Amino acid sequence: LGVYLPMLIQLELGVDGIAFGMSEAQLVKLLGEPSKVYLDDNESRGLAYYRLKLVLKIEPNGRLGWIEVHNREAVWNGINPWTTDQATLLKLLHQHLGEPHELDDYGKMESYCFPESWVELQYEVGQLTTFNFGVRYGENDEPIYPDA
């Protein structure tokens, strides 16, 4: 019998063995072909994995720089963000990251962003829909990849 482990969100590192800085070829070797590939407004390639409920963004430099987690069973810091109330989750992220959030209100959709840490929570009609996070950047706007 296998043991089911929920997807683990690790800020600054990645998710479930998927690390910032990986190439598209490395990701395809690890996860298989994505369900869909698309270009976004920033010329990044979005690799959508429907089964995993995950979108991986390959930046123009060819490396993974942004992760969108849509998997409602994923865990961050020992909690499930989708079952944690919004105020508590924002407080925990504030304590963990050491920076306050900013709010962008789009009507039915709200984006809570921690800009220095490259973390964003998207809520629609009061429900968390996406936990997004990206690679951190150094003083010279160079990405800080894990194990770099």
Side-chain angles (χ1 to χ4, degrees):
L1 291 173
V3 175
Y4 173 77
L5 296 174
M7 181 178 286
L8 182 61
I9 297 169
Q10 295 178 286
L11 302 180
E12 301 180 24
L13 297 175
V15 60
D16 278 4
I18 301 164
F20 288 119
M22 291 178 83
S23 69
E24 184 170 342
Q26 289 172 312
L27 292 166
V28 169
K29 184 177 180 181
L30 179 67
L31 302 172
E33 291 294 329
S35 305
K36 184 175 186 176
V37 177
Y38 62 92
L39 284 178
D40 69 12
D41 295 340
N42 299 320
E43 297 302 313
S44 293
R45 288 173 58 83
L47 308 180
Y49 286 90
Y50 293 171
R51 182 181 56 80
L52 298 172
K53 306 239 181 291
L54 194 64
V55 176
L56 307 173
K57 295 281 187 92
I58 305 296
E59 296 184 338
N61 68 4
R63 299 178 79 177
L64 176 62
W66 188 251
I67 298 174
E68 296 179 12
V69 180
H70 299 262
N71 185 327
R72 296 178 52 87
E73 295 178 15
V75 172
W76 167 74
N77 212 23
I79 63 165
N80 179 322
W82 283 263
T83 59
T84 303
D85 74 83
Q86 185 183 66
T88 300
L89 182 57
L90 290 169
K91 180 181 177 184
L92 290 170
L93 278 162
H94 168 76
Q95 291 170 343
H96 182 81
L97 300 171
E99 71 171 300
H101 69 269
E102 297 175 2
L103 169 63
D104 290 315
D105 191 336
Y106 300 100
K108 71 172 181 138
M109 195 275 258
E110 297 170 332
S111 171
Y112 295 86
C113 184
F114 296 83
E116 293 174 28
S117 303
W118 293 92
V119 174
E120 176 196 30
L121 303 177
Q122 292 180 353
Y123 284 81
E124 287 192 31
V125 291
Q127 177 66 50
L128 180 64
T129 57
T130 314
F131 189 117
N132 302 320
F133 61 111
V135 66
R136 301 275 305 253
Y137 284 81
E139 293 178 15
N140 299 323
D141 285 334
E142 290 295 318
I144 304 169
Y145 296 117
D147 302 320

